[in-house]
Amino acid sequence: MRTAEEKGKRARTDGAEDDGGEPIDRALLLSIEKLQEIQDEIEKVNEEASDKVLEVEQKYNKIRRPVYVRRNEIIQKIPDFWLTAFLSHPVLGDLLTEDDQQICKHLESIFVDESEDIKSGCSITLTFSSNPYFEDKKLTKTYSMSDDGTVMVKATSIKWKAGMDIVNGKACTKKGEKRLLVDQSSFFTWFNDAENGSFAHGEMDQVADIIKEDLWPNPLKYFNNELESEFEQEGDEEGSDEEADDDDEDEGDEEET
């Protein structure tokens, strides 16, 4: 008895009879050809569906933009909002060094701006208030995809203030002494132009994906996680205090009796 693999091989062997080979299973060959036609039809429908989905996404991307702007205006009124959201994120929180956290206290807004056709790329912009670390008001990283699938990456070259360059190891203490380098690289190496070539298909692009697809759509989710943890800790402490008070009262009652 022939296996399915053997049947498939024989069905795809044109001219087997003329060459003196085994007879072609013409019924099987016909079924495979019809199956291929149906599969081609499915692919065509999928392509049409993708085009329609892209059109809808383009439409609603324009609608979402002013809503995101209004959201950023409110976020700016909440102290350390983005720092808290970053630290609460299971991946991004591990990327921030102590110096990064101090810098992110000045982070006023994050904005993800997709290209008009959605598929050509996007830019991620971090806006900072005046701070003692760098001159830039905005740090932007842009991803542009060409027709052949190549991703081009451009990023702001950070203008660090004197003695504050934590990316290139030029940060100094208040006394002017060079700071000891830490094992963990700064999050801000993400904007380092000299490194962008190696980041194109590496871990740092995962940072862009996380910000764009996870943090940016709903940062409140991560900000609230941190607050909930604080409330839970306060609740536990209050519960412990109440239990201690109850124990003291019970002991007092026993002494009176």
Side-chain angles (χ1 to χ4, degrees):
M1 182 176 179
R2 292 179 297 170
T3 64
E5 184 179 359
E6 290 171 339
K7 288 180 180 179
K9 289 182 178 178
R10 289 191 176 96
R12 291 191 295 271
T13 306
D14 296 332
E17 290 178 326
D18 297 338
D19 296 339
E22 295 184 18
I24 298 174
D25 190 336
R26 294 191 180 280
L28 178 59
L29 181 60
L30 182 60
S31 296
I32 293 175
E33 289 176 350
K34 289 182 178 179
L35 182 60
Q36 184 60 56
E37 290 175 1
I38 293 175
Q39 194 62 46
D40 292 341
E41 185 176 349
I42 292 173
E43 291 298 325
K44 183 179 179 181
V45 172
N46 288 340
E47 289 178 4
E48 292 176 357
S50 296
D51 291 339
K52 293 297 182 182
V53 169
L54 186 59
E55 289 177 8
V56 172
E57 185 63 26
Q58 289 170 350
K59 173 185 176 181
Y60 283 94
N61 189 43
K62 293 179 180 179
I63 295 174
R64 283 192 294 263
R65 184 180 178 84
V67 180
Y68 283 138
V69 171
R70 294 207 314 270
R71 185 184 72 179
N72 267 342
E73 291 173 352
I74 296 174
I75 286 176
Q76 289 182 27
K77 300 176 182 179
I78 303 174
D80 296 338
F81 178 90
W82 287 110
L83 173 59
T84 303
F86 260 77
L87 291 176
S88 299
H89 193 281
V91 177
L92 296 177
D94 290 337
L95 300 180
L96 298 185
T97 65
E98 291 184 4
D99 284 328
D100 293 338
Q101 292 178 36
Q102 293 302 313
I103 294 174
C104 286
K105 284 181 173 292
H106 301 275
L107 179 56
E108 293 183 333
S109 71
I110 295 177
F111 204 92
V112 176
D113 194 12
E114 297 194 73
S115 59
E116 188 172 347
D117 65 357
I118 304 297
K119 60 184 180 181
S120 295
C122 72
S123 64
I124 300 174
T125 300
L126 279 60
T127 301
F128 295 83
S129 60
S130 297
N131 62 81
Y133 300 95
F134 44 71
E135 302 289 349
D136 309 270
K137 176 72 173 175
K138 295 183 178 183
L139 302 180
T140 301
K141 192 160 188 178
T142 303
Y143 298 82
S144 303
M145 183 174 291
S146 60
D147 293 336
D148 64 0
T150 302
V151 178
M152 301 298 294
V153 185
K154 294 182 179 179
T156 300
S157 180
I158 302 175
K159 299 180 180 65
W160 296 96
K161 293 183 178 179
M164 291 297 176
D165 188 348
I166 62 174
V167 171
N168 298 304
K170 297 178 181 178
C172 300
T173 64
K174 291 181 178 179
K175 295 181 179 179
E177 299 171 350
K178 188 173 181 180
R179 288 184 186 174
L180 293 176
L181 294 178
V182 293
D183 292 335
Q184 182 181 355
S185 296
S186 168
F187 167 79
F188 291 91
T189 58
W190 192 50
F191 291 97
N192 194 330
D193 275 332
E195 300 294 337
N196 279 335
S198 62
F199 288 164
H201 301 287
E203 183 177 352
M204 278 301 185
D205 264 12
Q206 292 179 14
V207 173
D209 289 337
I210 291 171
I211 292 176
K212 178 176 179 290
E213 303 296 341
D214 191 14
L215 182 68
W216 167 248
N218 188 6
L220 185 59
K221 173 175 63 176
Y222 295 104
F223 180 81
N224 281 339
N225 280 348
E226 184 70 17
L227 289 184
E228 288 172 1
S229 298
E230 291 180 3
F231 290 145
E232 288 175 359
Q233 290 177 0
E234 290 177 1
D236 292 341
E237 291 174 359
E238 290 175 0
S240 299
D241 292 340
E242 290 176 359
E243 290 177 2
D245 292 340
D246 291 340
D247 291 340
D248 292 339
E249 290 177 2
D250 292 340
E251 291 176 1
D253 294 339
E254 291 176 359
E255 290 177 358
E256 290 178 2
T257 58

